[in-house]
């Protein structure tokens, strides 16, 4: 377990160095939200809005129907598009209740969470007893985070997330974006 974690951290640091030269721009392509258990949670909304070419954002709201939620995990995997989407570098599962108690416990999760924390109300530990909201996360803020701090190779990507409560996968969230 520890060994796996260490490997991930080393890979993360290596990647950071290897590809830190290219500067690219994030273009949001699409988002998809799917509830796998409508008695547990539903999406009030989930959309990508294009105001104009340069100003796009996405928002979503998850209604939690079995409150309070005291056990939650998030599995996130990054895919790169080649011939279809192939797993790329990261696939991590984070115990959300533990992570939000101590964000330093998981530097990789912390890195990804930092990208959207200013736009969400996820920022506390369990129990969750309210709707979960992500409000107007812009390409620009993702740009700042992912290309100035950690540039990836130019390509199309997808982040696939499973939202797991009490060890059952309740919802799937996918965000598609390109680095150009
Ligand atoms: C795009 O929309 C934003 C927000 O309304 C505005 O501030 C910006 O000037 C627009 N950009 C272009 C190129 O029209
Ligand atoms: C990521 O890991 C989870 C749990 O170990 C596994 O079920 C899933 O298939 C993996 N996804 C990818 C893209 O490798
Ligand atoms: C969570 O975010 C809200 C809104 O940005 C803020 O008011 C609150 O203090 C934050 N809570 C924690 C524990 O950081």
């Amino acid at each position: 377990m520890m060994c796996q974690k260490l490997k991930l951290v080393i890979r993360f640091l290596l990647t950071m160095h290897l590809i830190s030269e290219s500067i690219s721009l994030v273009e949001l392509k699409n988002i998809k939200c799917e509830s796998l258990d409508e008695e547990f949670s539903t999406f009030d909304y989930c959309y990508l809005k294009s105001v104009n070419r340069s100003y796009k954002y996405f928002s979503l709201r998850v209604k939690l129907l079995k409150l309070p939620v005291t056990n939650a995990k998030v599995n996130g995997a990054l895919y790169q598009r080649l011939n279809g989407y192939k797993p790329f570098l990261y696939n991590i599962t984070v115990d959300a209740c533990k992570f939000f108690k101590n964000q330093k416990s998981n530097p990789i999760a912390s890195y990804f969470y930092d990208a959207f924390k200013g736009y969400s109300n996820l920022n506390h530990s369990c129990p969750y007893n309210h709707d979960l909201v992500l409000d107007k996360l812009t390409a620009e803020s993702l740009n700042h985070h992912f290309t100035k701090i950690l540039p990836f190779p130019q390509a199309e990507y997808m982040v696939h997330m499973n939202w797991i409560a009490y060890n059952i996968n309740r919802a799937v969230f996918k965000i598609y974006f390109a680095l150009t």
Side-chain angles (χ1 to χ4, degrees), residues 71-135:
N71 176 298
K73 282 185 202 146
V74 180
N75 166 249
L78 182 64
Y79 289 71
Q80 189 182 48
R81 187 173 178 185
L82 298 166
N83 287 316
Y85 285 92
K86 303 277 156 55
F88 179 72
L89 294 174
Y90 303 109
N91 180 7
I92 60 176
T93 301
V94 178
D95 181 319
C97 303
K98 283 188 193 146
F99 174 69
F100 285 113
K101 260 184 213 139
N102 178 13
Q103 289 177 29
K104 291 196 189 100
S105 66
N106 192 328
I108 298 173
S110 186
Y111 174 77
F112 284 102
Y113 172 61
D114 277 352
F116 64 86
K117 70 175 175 192
Y119 301 84
S120 91
N121 66 349
L122 282 176
N123 63 347
H124 63 82
S125 189
C126 299
Y128 283 94
N129 53 16
H130 52 74
D131 293 357
L132 304 179
V133 178
L134 188 67
D135 191 38

Side-chain angles (χ1 to χ4, degrees), residues 1-178:
M1 214 46 209
M2 263 331 277
C3 183
Q4 184 65 16
K5 211 168 189 179
L6 188 62
K7 263 196 229 156
L8 273 171
V9 171
I10 290 170
R11 185 192 282 177
F12 177 77
L13 292 173
L14 273 177
T15 313
M16 234 158 125
H17 285 287
L18 285 175
I19 55 186
S20 63
E21 279 142 42
S22 62
I23 294 286
S24 28
L25 288 176
V26 173
E27 189 188 340
L28 294 176
K29 295 285 196 184
N30 200 2
I31 66 170
K32 290 183 186 166
C33 302
E34 185 191 359
S35 170
L36 303 178
D37 179 355
E38 303 242 319
E39 301 199 338
F40 188 85
S41 61
T42 56
F43 288 92
D44 273 1
Y45 52 81
C46 167
Y47 62 84
L48 175 64
K49 173 128 178 133
S50 297
V51 176
N52 55 38
R53 232 161 183 279
S54 53
Y55 185 54
K56 294 185 186 184
Y57 61 81
F58 66 87
S59 293
L60 65 88
R61 182 177 200 104
V62 186
K63 195 163 230 89
L64 296 177
L65 303 171
K66 300 259 166 83
L67 299 176
V69 175
T70 57
N71 176 298
K73 282 185 202 146
V74 180
N75 166 249
L78 182 64
Y79 289 71
Q80 189 182 48
R81 187 173 178 185
L82 298 166
N83 287 316
Y85 285 92
K86 303 277 156 55
F88 179 72
L89 294 174
Y90 303 109
N91 180 7
I92 60 176
T93 301
V94 178
D95 181 319
C97 303
K98 283 188 193 146
F99 174 69
F100 285 113
K101 260 184 213 139
N102 178 13
Q103 289 177 29
K104 291 196 189 100
S105 66
N106 192 328
I108 298 173
S110 186
Y111 174 77
F112 284 102
Y113 172 61
D114 277 352
F116 64 86
K117 70 175 175 192
Y119 301 84
S120 91
N121 66 349
L122 282 176
N123 63 347
H124 63 82
S125 189
C126 299
Y128 283 94
N129 53 16
H130 52 74
D131 293 357
L132 304 179
V133 178
L134 188 67
D135 191 38
K136 294 189 179 172
L137 177 57
T138 61
E140 196 172 44
S141 66
L142 292 176
N143 264 329
H144 180 75
H145 194 71
F146 288 109
T147 62
K148 299 208 174 90
I149 306 172
L150 167 58
F152 286 127
Q154 295 192 348
E156 288 190 36
Y157 295 91
M158 169 183 66
V159 176
H160 181 292
M161 297 177 103
N162 294 309
W163 294 81
I164 300 157
Y166 308 102
N167 291 318
I168 298 172
N169 196 8
R170 310 288 181 161
V172 173
F173 172 66
K174 297 179 193 169
I175 172 169
Y176 297 81
F177 63 96

